[in-house]
Amino acid sequence: MRTCVLPVAERARLTFSLVTPSYNQGRYIGETINSVLSQSYPLLEYVIQDSLSADETPEVIASFHDPRLRAFYEKDTGQANAINRGFLRTSGDIMAYL
């Protein structure tokens, strides 16, 4: 197995895209957002894909004012569908979900 290690200058230019699927996660979503946005990586885009939560989730998300965070509210067919919808809205070199 061969490992490729990018030089520091190249690693610093990679955009990291993170998607969080959400449905009625108001009790937890704020802590998740704080954790993600507190990371020091400079090129982060963070998408929360919410399936029209009926609890306090939209208000908690709206309380964050960070240009790296974008939230979308639309009905989906489950967690995998929400993750895929979120990734369609990202452009990162590295993609993950939480």
Side-chain angles (χ1 to χ4, degrees):
M1 181 173 160
R2 185 176 174 166
T3 303
C4 177
V5 178
L6 295 172
V8 173
E10 285 186 49
R11 282 184 282 177
R13 290 191 304 246
L14 296 176
T15 301
F16 189 85
S17 298
L18 184 63
V19 173
T20 297
S22 173
Y23 181 67
N24 290 338
Q25 295 296 310
R27 290 180 52 192
Y28 312 102
I29 196 72
E31 188 174 334
T32 302
I33 295 169
N34 274 325
S35 177
V36 170
L37 296 180
S38 71
Q39 303 303 309
S40 62
Y41 194 78
L43 297 175
L44 170 70
E45 61 178 355
Y46 183 32
V47 170
I48 297 176
Q49 186 68 41
D50 184 75
S51 186
L52 303 177
S53 290
D55 67 353
E56 68 273 17
T57 299
E59 291 80 18
V60 173
I61 294 170
S63 71
F64 288 88
H65 305 285
D66 189 303
R68 298 172 296 171
L69 172 65
R70 294 179 295 144
F72 298 92
Y73 305 91
E74 60 189 0
K75 193 69 179 156
D76 57 57
T77 58
Q79 184 178 29
N81 183 244
I83 292 166
N84 284 323
R85 287 171 184 250
F87 281 142
L88 288 173
R89 294 181 158 116
T90 65
S91 59
D93 301 296
I94 302 167
M95 303 166 86
Y97 68 91
L98 173 65

